[in-house]
Amino acid sequence: MTQDAIRAIRAIAPSLVEQLDPQQFEAIEKLLSSVVLPLSEGDVRELVSLLPPDGDTASGLNWTILHLIEAAPAWPHWEALQFQQGEWIDRLMRRLANAGVSPPARPTRN
């Protein structure tokens, strides 16, 4: 289940980018500060999907999202990463690799 605050962020913007207007930034900042830890797998999946394909930081909002994702007990959520692309996903994957965490091996067929 996804938290109401995270669903509300999604309703404001499907992706967090610099082009958000000041009211959107303010609303998203308040919603991010109201997110309750620990995050569920659904929360992590939704937050990952908010990250834009380019490296846009959305005035730091995406760094906040990255830190929330990394603090989640459901992290890493390999399926969420598998279906996303872009600089933020690459950054998350590099940070996992730097921490010595790699995706589970896929079973081989005989």
Side-chain angles (χ1 to χ4, degrees):
M1 182 121 199
T2 304
Q3 293 181 42
D4 291 341
I6 296 171
R7 282 196 302 268
I9 293 168
R10 159 90 48 222
I12 293 169
S15 184
L16 303 186
V17 294
E18 295 289 339
Q19 288 79 18
L20 296 171
D21 66 48
Q23 293 81 15
Q24 289 173 311
F25 273 110
E26 185 177 330
I28 292 168
E29 284 178 325
K30 285 182 182 177
L31 289 165
L32 284 173
S33 68
S34 71
V35 169
V36 177
L37 299 178
L39 298 178
S40 69
E41 282 190 30
D43 295 332
V44 170
R45 190 173 30 258
E46 284 297 315
L47 288 173
V48 168
S49 73
L50 287 169
L51 296 169
D54 63 9
D56 193 326
T57 66
S59 296
L61 293 176
N62 289 324
W63 280 109
T64 300
I65 287 176
L66 178 134
H67 293 133
L68 285 169
I69 290 167
E70 290 181 327
W75 186 247
H77 190 298
W78 298 111
E79 289 93 25
L81 293 171
Q82 175 182 357
F83 297 111
Q84 301 290 325
Q85 295 181 5
E87 290 181 41
W88 282 102
I89 301 306
D90 293 344
R91 183 173 287 125
L92 284 165
M93 293 298 288
R94 264 192 320 275
R95 290 165 70 99
L96 286 167
N98 289 344
V101 179
S102 58
R106 292 189 174 174
T108 57
R109 291 187 172 185
N110 293 337

